[in-house]
mmCIF file of all heavy atoms in Angstrom:
data_model
loop_
_atom_site.group_PDB
_atom_site.id
_atom_site.type_symbol
_atom_site.label_atom_id
_atom_site.label_comp_id
_atom_site.label_asym_id
_atom_site.label_seq_id
_atom_site.Cartn_x
_atom_site.Cartn_y
_atom_site.Cartn_z
ATOM 1 N N ILE A 541 14.919 16.851 5.676
ATOM 2 C CA ILE A 541 16.127 16.043 5.443
ATOM 3 C C ILE A 541 16.662 15.556 6.775
ATOM 4 O O ILE A 541 16.371 16.110 7.836
ATOM 5 C CB ILE A 541 17.204 16.866 4.711
ATOM 6 C CG1 ILE A 541 17.577 18.124 5.518
ATOM 7 C CG2 ILE A 541 16.724 17.275 3.322
ATOM 8 C CD1 ILE A 541 18.731 18.916 4.905
ATOM 9 N N SER A 542 17.452 14.527 6.677
ATOM 10 C CA SER A 542 18.036 13.944 7.885
ATOM 11 C C SER A 542 19.204 14.792 8.365
ATOM 12 O O SER A 542 19.671 15.694 7.663
ATOM 13 C CB SER A 542 18.509 12.525 7.590
ATOM 14 O OG SER A 542 19.549 12.554 6.614
ATOM 15 N N GLU A 543 19.705 14.464 9.550
ATOM 16 C CA GLU A 543 20.839 15.202 10.088
ATOM 17 C C GLU A 543 22.075 15.010 9.214
ATOM 18 O O GLU A 543 22.847 15.951 8.980
ATOM 19 C CB GLU A 543 21.142 14.732 11.518
ATOM 20 C CG GLU A 543 20.146 15.240 12.538
ATOM 21 C CD GLU A 543 20.588 14.904 13.963
ATOM 22 O OE1 GLU A 543 21.804 14.654 14.155
ATOM 23 O OE2 GLU A 543 19.752 14.892 14.857
ATOM 24 N N ALA A 544 22.223 13.815 8.725
ATOM 25 C CA ALA A 544 23.378 13.547 7.863
ATOM 26 C C ALA A 544 23.308 14.378 6.588
ATOM 27 O O ALA A 544 24.318 14.943 6.140
ATOM 28 C CB ALA A 544 23.437 12.060 7.535
ATOM 29 N N GLU A 545 22.111 14.475 6.012
ATOM 30 C CA GLU A 545 21.956 15.284 4.796
ATOM 31 C C GLU A 545 22.165 16.760 5.108
ATOM 32 O O GLU A 545 22.744 17.505 4.289
ATOM 33 C CB GLU A 545 20.558 15.069 4.203
ATOM 34 C CG GLU A 545 20.370 13.709 3.552
ATOM 35 C CD GLU A 545 18.948 13.517 3.056
ATOM 36 O OE1 GLU A 545 18.000 13.884 3.789
ATOM 37 O OE2 GLU A 545 18.788 13.011 1.916
ATOM 38 N N ALA A 546 21.720 17.196 6.293
ATOM 39 C CA ALA A 546 21.895 18.597 6.676
ATOM 40 C C ALA A 546 23.379 18.916 6.807
ATOM 41 O O ALA A 546 23.844 19.976 6.369
ATOM 42 C CB ALA A 546 21.158 18.881 7.975
ATOM 43 N N GLU A 547 24.140 17.997 7.413
ATOM 44 C CA GLU A 547 25.591 18.208 7.543
ATOM 45 C C GLU A 547 26.258 18.239 6.167
ATOM 46 O O GLU A 547 27.164 19.045 5.909
ATOM 47 C CB GLU A 547 26.199 17.107 8.405
ATOM 48 C CG GLU A 547 25.807 17.183 9.877
ATOM 49 C CD GLU A 547 26.416 16.052 10.695
ATOM 50 O OE1 GLU A 547 27.213 15.268 10.117
ATOM 51 O OE2 GLU A 547 26.104 15.937 11.884
ATOM 52 N N GLN A 548 25.793 17.364 5.304
ATOM 53 C CA GLN A 548 26.343 17.331 3.936
ATOM 54 C C GLN A 548 26.072 18.645 3.216
ATOM 55 O O GLN A 548 26.950 19.179 2.523
ATOM 56 C CB GLN A 548 25.731 16.157 3.167
ATOM 57 C CG GLN A 548 26.285 15.984 1.774
ATOM 58 C CD GLN A 548 25.593 14.866 1.018
ATOM 59 O OE1 GLN A 548 24.633 14.259 1.537
ATOM 60 N NE2 GLN A 548 26.066 14.556 -0.171
ATOM 61 N N MET A 549 24.848 19.206 3.365
ATOM 62 C CA MET A 549 24.520 20.473 2.731
ATOM 63 C C MET A 549 25.352 21.617 3.304
ATOM 64 O O MET A 549 25.782 22.519 2.584
ATOM 65 C CB MET A 549 23.023 20.795 2.923
ATOM 66 C CG MET A 549 22.076 19.881 2.152
ATOM 67 S SD MET A 549 22.315 19.973 0.340
ATOM 68 C CE MET A 549 23.249 18.447 0.048
ATOM 69 N N THR A 550 25.617 21.551 4.607
ATOM 70 C CA THR A 550 26.446 22.592 5.226
ATOM 71 C C THR A 550 27.856 22.564 4.655
ATOM 72 O O THR A 550 28.441 23.603 4.329
ATOM 73 C CB THR A 550 26.487 22.400 6.745
ATOM 74 O OG1 THR A 550 25.159 22.477 7.283
ATOM 75 C CG2 THR A 550 27.346 23.468 7.403
ATOM 76 N N GLU A 551 28.406 21.370 4.517
ATOM 77 C CA GLU A 551 29.755 21.244 3.959
ATOM 78 C C GLU A 551 29.781 21.710 2.499
ATOM 79 O O GLU A 551 30.737 22.361 2.054
ATOM 80 C CB GLU A 551 30.217 19.794 4.066
ATOM 81 C CG GLU A 551 30.450 19.316 5.483
ATOM 82 C CD GLU A 551 30.788 17.824 5.548
ATOM 83 O OE1 GLU A 551 30.812 17.182 4.466
ATOM 84 O OE2 GLU A 551 31.001 17.318 6.658
ATOM 85 N N LEU A 552 28.691 21.423 1.776
ATOM 86 C CA LEU A 552 28.632 21.815 0.374
ATOM 87 C C LEU A 552 28.525 23.331 0.240
ATOM 88 O O LEU A 552 29.130 23.940 -0.666
ATOM 89 C CB LEU A 552 27.427 21.137 -0.290
ATOM 90 C CG LEU A 552 27.380 21.119 -1.822
ATOM 91 C CD1 LEU A 552 28.638 20.467 -2.397
ATOM 92 C CD2 LEU A 552 26.143 20.366 -2.300
ATOM 93 N N LYS A 553 27.786 23.962 1.128
ATOM 94 C CA LYS A 553 27.678 25.434 1.097
ATOM 95 C C LYS A 553 29.019 26.079 1.387
ATOM 96 O O LYS A 553 29.381 27.082 0.762
ATOM 97 C CB LYS A 553 26.625 25.901 2.107
ATOM 98 C CG LYS A 553 25.196 25.706 1.638
ATOM 99 C CD LYS A 553 24.188 26.429 2.518
ATOM 100 C CE LYS A 553 23.975 25.685 3.826
ATOM 101 N NZ LYS A 553 22.873 26.292 4.636
ATOM 102 N N ILE A 554 29.749 25.505 2.345
ATOM 103 C CA ILE A 554 31.073 26.064 2.656
ATOM 104 C C ILE A 554 32.008 25.922 1.459
ATOM 105 O O ILE A 554 32.733 26.854 1.095
ATOM 106 C CB ILE A 554 31.666 25.357 3.895
ATOM 107 C CG1 ILE A 554 30.830 25.682 5.142
ATOM 108 C CG2 ILE A 554 33.126 25.760 4.104
ATOM 109 C CD1 ILE A 554 31.215 24.893 6.375
ATOM 110 N N LEU A 579 18.114 22.021 -0.421
ATOM 111 C CA LEU A 579 17.759 22.861 0.715
ATOM 112 C C LEU A 579 17.846 24.342 0.301
ATOM 113 O O LEU A 579 18.766 25.055 0.698
ATOM 114 C CB LEU A 579 18.703 22.579 1.894
ATOM 115 C CG LEU A 579 18.267 23.081 3.278
ATOM 116 C CD1 LEU A 579 16.977 22.396 3.707
ATOM 117 C CD2 LEU A 579 19.371 22.833 4.301
#
Side-chain angles (χ1 to χ4, degrees):
I541 58 175
S542 64
E543 285 188 21
E545 288 177 317
E547 290 179 5
Q548 183 184 4
M549 291 299 102
T550 300
E551 292 175 359
L552 195 56
K553 283 192 284 187
I554 294 172
L579 196 63

